[in-house]
Amino acid sequence: MTNNFNKNVREKALELLQRIEKEGAYSHLLLNHVLSHGQVSKKDESLLTELVYGTIKRKNTLDFYLTPFLKNGIDSIEPWVLQLLRLSVYQLVYLDRVPDRAVIHEAVNIAKKRGHKGISGLVNGVLRSIQRKGLPRTNSLSGIERLAIETSHPEWLLEDWIAAYGEKEAKAMALTNLDPPPLTVRVNLSKSTKEEIKNKLLEEGCQIEEGALSPDALIITSGSVITTETYKNGYVTIQDESSMLVARLLQPEPGMRVLDACAAPGGKTTHLAECMEDKGSINAFDLHKKKIKLIEEQAKRLGLSIIEAKAMDARELTAHLDEQFDRVLVDAPCSGLGVIRRKPELKWQKQKENLERFPKIQADILAEASKLVKPGGMLVYSTCTVRKEENEDVVEAFLSQNNLFKRERNEFLANTLQAEHGQKTILPQQFGTDGFFMALLKKQDL
């Protein structure tokens, strides 16, 4: 019985890995779909998640391990066979609870089922050779090549991080990206107190800890929070702690007029509405019409009524709006390299040349949204990436061309993150959160 379930799990994992690599699909979306539709048994859900995320995270290292055992190199075999070998070597190396003989047996069975006798023989031969001879060592490598293999990251990305943050921080960031991310929730203080919400979650079987950064955060250490009545009734929202800091930085108050220029899926928008006690108004926009529904669904679940969500290109805001706002949020589209732990395929799908388009888009949105900030009003620019070109450089260029705006010191940011000038980059290894950037800008009174 157990073997049958494991076989199904591994076949499903192989199917997802192929789709992620071939179609550029996102791992978290595919996994959510499979798990929510009961395509594997409940008891195998965590194994499926581990196999998919683990194999993607360790791809570089797994290919290094496989290369000496493939006579004509890893590019000589069919993509699905390579994925099967990566999946199997991941289990042999990183999963102690799965016996080696079971890993090899299941891999050979899948190869027989999907291929021909020659392929199953190849899979069997490679895995048994690794088992007999052991893994190749990285001792013969040096410098960036060794770091790329040992941390399983592309060389160009590590080189960028070393140039920006130094070798020690770059290595720490890459190693942290191999760890599972924490599951954190934001408490809805417009509906209840944090203590009452903690008790509700405990009563429904969740184990929790206080967040490391945000006063609004709880870390779920065990239990299925998304199936609790506490979640369904809008007392909590799943959100990374670093993202929760945006609302603290922007400081919206009840009765204010607020603009969220790039709002979907609505996590930060709804947090702003909670801070405003659902009094005032929030105009929330996103480029993609189909994502507006996500904002509306979250607002409804949380019992928030002040959010009006519409599809709009944030680079054309002033063509449609002639009013000014007390607070404006630009959570700009970005390369997303601060959330590699949650979307490990990003480090393989992104190429350096593909990232060059982001600073221009970000600068255009920031310039457009800034025109709608009223005198004395506040603007927050944020991203979930750790590239200076998309963060500090964009803000610096904006300020050099807009004399009415200055960085504004924020008490919370200064006390929590020692950021005295209203601007901060958070690296994943510093607090266990996603990598994130935020800057608070104030428009001078005329």
Side-chain angles (χ1 to χ4, degrees):
M1 190 68 162
T2 300
N3 285 340
N4 189 42
F5 270 134
N6 285 343
K7 176 182 175 183
N8 291 336
V9 168
R10 292 181 176 91
E11 287 179 339
K12 182 56 71 176
L14 177 60
E15 176 190 319
L16 298 187
L17 289 168
Q18 283 184 268
R19 289 192 60 189
I20 291 162
E21 181 144 305
K22 186 178 179 181
E23 302 171 15
Y26 287 125
S27 55
H28 69 293
L29 296 179
L30 286 181
L31 275 167
N32 286 345
H33 180 81
V34 169
L35 299 181
S36 64
H37 286 75
Q39 293 183 22
V40 295
S41 67
K42 283 285 180 189
K43 71 180 183 61
D44 284 334
E45 288 182 351
S46 62
L47 178 58
L48 177 68
T49 304
E50 170 78 44
L51 292 176
V52 173
Y53 280 141
T55 303
I56 299 170
K57 284 181 179 177
R58 301 278 183 176
K59 188 177 91 165
N60 237 15
T61 313
L62 296 172
D63 286 355
F64 175 77
Y65 290 156
L66 281 166
T67 296
F69 300 96
L70 292 164
K71 186 178 178 181
N72 297 315
I74 60 173
D75 294 331
S76 66
I77 58 177
E78 291 185 49
W80 75 266
V81 180
L82 177 57
Q83 290 291 3
L84 177 59
L85 288 171
R86 286 173 179 158
L87 176 67
S88 303
V89 175
Y90 177 75
Q91 296 168 78
L92 292 176
V93 178
Y94 299 105
L95 295 189
D96 293 338
R97 66 181 186 272
V98 183
D100 289 0
R101 64 179 183 283
V103 173
I104 297 172
H105 178 73
E106 294 297 343
V108 171
N109 278 347
I110 293 172
K112 283 180 181 174
K113 194 172 177 181
R114 297 191 55 163
H116 50 71
K117 190 175 180 181
I119 289 177
S120 64
L122 171 75
V123 168
N124 186 54
V126 168
L127 296 179
R128 291 200 182 281
S129 293
I130 289 175
Q131 189 184 34
R132 188 172 64 255
K133 296 179 181 178
L135 299 169
R137 296 188 173 187
T138 56
N139 296 356
S140 59
L141 306 177
S142 61
I144 197 72
E145 186 182 9
R146 181 168 180 171
L147 188 61
I149 296 300
E150 291 181 343
T151 66
S152 193
H153 278 65
E155 290 185 16
W156 69 264
L157 185 54
L158 291 169
E159 287 170 342
D160 273 10
W161 287 347
I162 289 172
Y165 305 109
E167 187 169 350
K168 183 180 176 183
E169 291 291 359
K171 183 177 181 179
M173 184 147 52
L175 289 172
T176 301
N177 284 339
L178 298 176
D179 296 332
L183 175 60
T184 53
V185 295
R186 183 188 79 226
V187 294
N188 184 354
L189 297 178
S190 71
K191 294 191 76 166
S192 187
T193 66
K194 190 174 187 181
E195 200 59 33
E196 287 173 346
I197 294 171
K198 284 169 65 175
N199 290 333
K200 284 177 181 289
L201 289 171
L202 288 170
E203 287 170 5
E204 293 196 85
C206 292
Q207 296 299 309
I208 53 181
E209 295 177 358
E210 286 289 336
L213 264 185
S214 171
D216 305 316
L218 292 173
I219 301 172
I220 308 296
T221 57
S222 72
S224 176
V225 68
I226 203 164
T227 62
T228 64
E229 293 302 312
T230 308
Y231 174 83
K232 292 174 184 173
N233 292 326
Y235 288 93
V236 294
T237 293
I238 295 174
Q239 187 178 34
D240 185 74
E241 275 196 75
S242 56
S243 296
M244 298 180 201
L245 300 182
V246 165
R248 291 271 172 180
L249 194 60
L250 195 58
Q251 306 168 71
E253 297 173 7
M256 281 186 168
R257 293 186 59 75
V258 176
L259 169 67
D260 188 348
C262 310
K268 298 179 188 69
T269 319
T270 52
H271 195 191
L272 294 172
E274 291 169 10
C275 293
M276 295 164 67
E277 301 172 6
D278 203 30
K279 298 171 184 172
S281 66
I282 298 179
N283 289 85
F285 300 107
D286 197 89
L287 179 62
H288 305 288
K289 190 175 181 180
K290 63 182 180 182
K291 292 185 178 179
I292 298 304
K293 188 178 177 184
L294 299 175
I295 304 172
E296 294 170 340
E297 287 174 349
Q298 287 303 309
K300 183 178 180 182
R301 184 181 64 82
L302 293 163
L304 300 167
S305 62
I306 64 169
I307 300 169
E308 183 180 1
K310 289 183 178 177
M312 188 186 296
D313 189 332
R315 292 167 292 189
E316 300 172 356
L317 290 168
T318 56
H320 304 277
L321 301 171
D322 57 4
E323 56 197 312
Q324 292 197 305
F325 295 82
D326 301 289
R327 300 287 186 267
V328 172
L329 172 60
V330 175
D331 187 48
C334 68
S335 55
L337 296 176
V339 296
I340 285 177
R341 278 194 298 175
R342 299 182 191 281
K343 302 174 184 176
E345 63 279 2
L346 286 179
K347 62 185 175 183
W348 310 122
Q349 292 172 350
K350 302 282 185 186
Q351 301 299 320
K352 188 171 183 176
E353 54 271 23
N354 301 142
L355 308 184
E356 293 174 358
R357 64 192 175 95
F358 284 112
K360 173 71 165 60
I361 296 171
Q362 292 154 347
D364 288 347
I365 294 174
L366 182 57
E368 181 73 357
S370 71
K371 298 172 184 172
L372 298 172
V373 181
K374 67 191 293 185
M378 302 282 195
L379 185 159
V380 163
Y381 174 80
S382 64
T383 73
C384 60
T385 194
V386 288
R387 293 184 72 233
K388 288 189 173 181
E389 296 91 331
E390 299 179 50
N391 296 334
E392 289 90 343
D393 292 356
V394 170
V395 172
E396 198 61 44
F398 171 77
L399 292 176
S400 70
Q401 298 166 16
N402 294 274
N403 294 332
L404 286 177
F405 284 87
K406 304 289 183 187
R407 289 188 188 88
E408 178 74 3
R409 185 181 188 278
N410 175 269
E411 198 68 22
F412 175 77
L413 212 60
N415 292 337
T416 309
L417 296 168
Q418 289 75 54
E420 291 295 331
H421 305 294
Q423 178 172 300
K424 183 67 179 179
T425 295
I426 299 173
L427 303 180
Q429 68 269 26
Q430 293 174 321
F431 301 97
T433 66
D434 291 342
F436 204 79
F437 173 81
M438 65 198 102
L440 175 64
L441 311 175
K442 182 175 182 180
K443 188 174 183 179
Q444 307 305 304
D445 280 314
L446 297 176

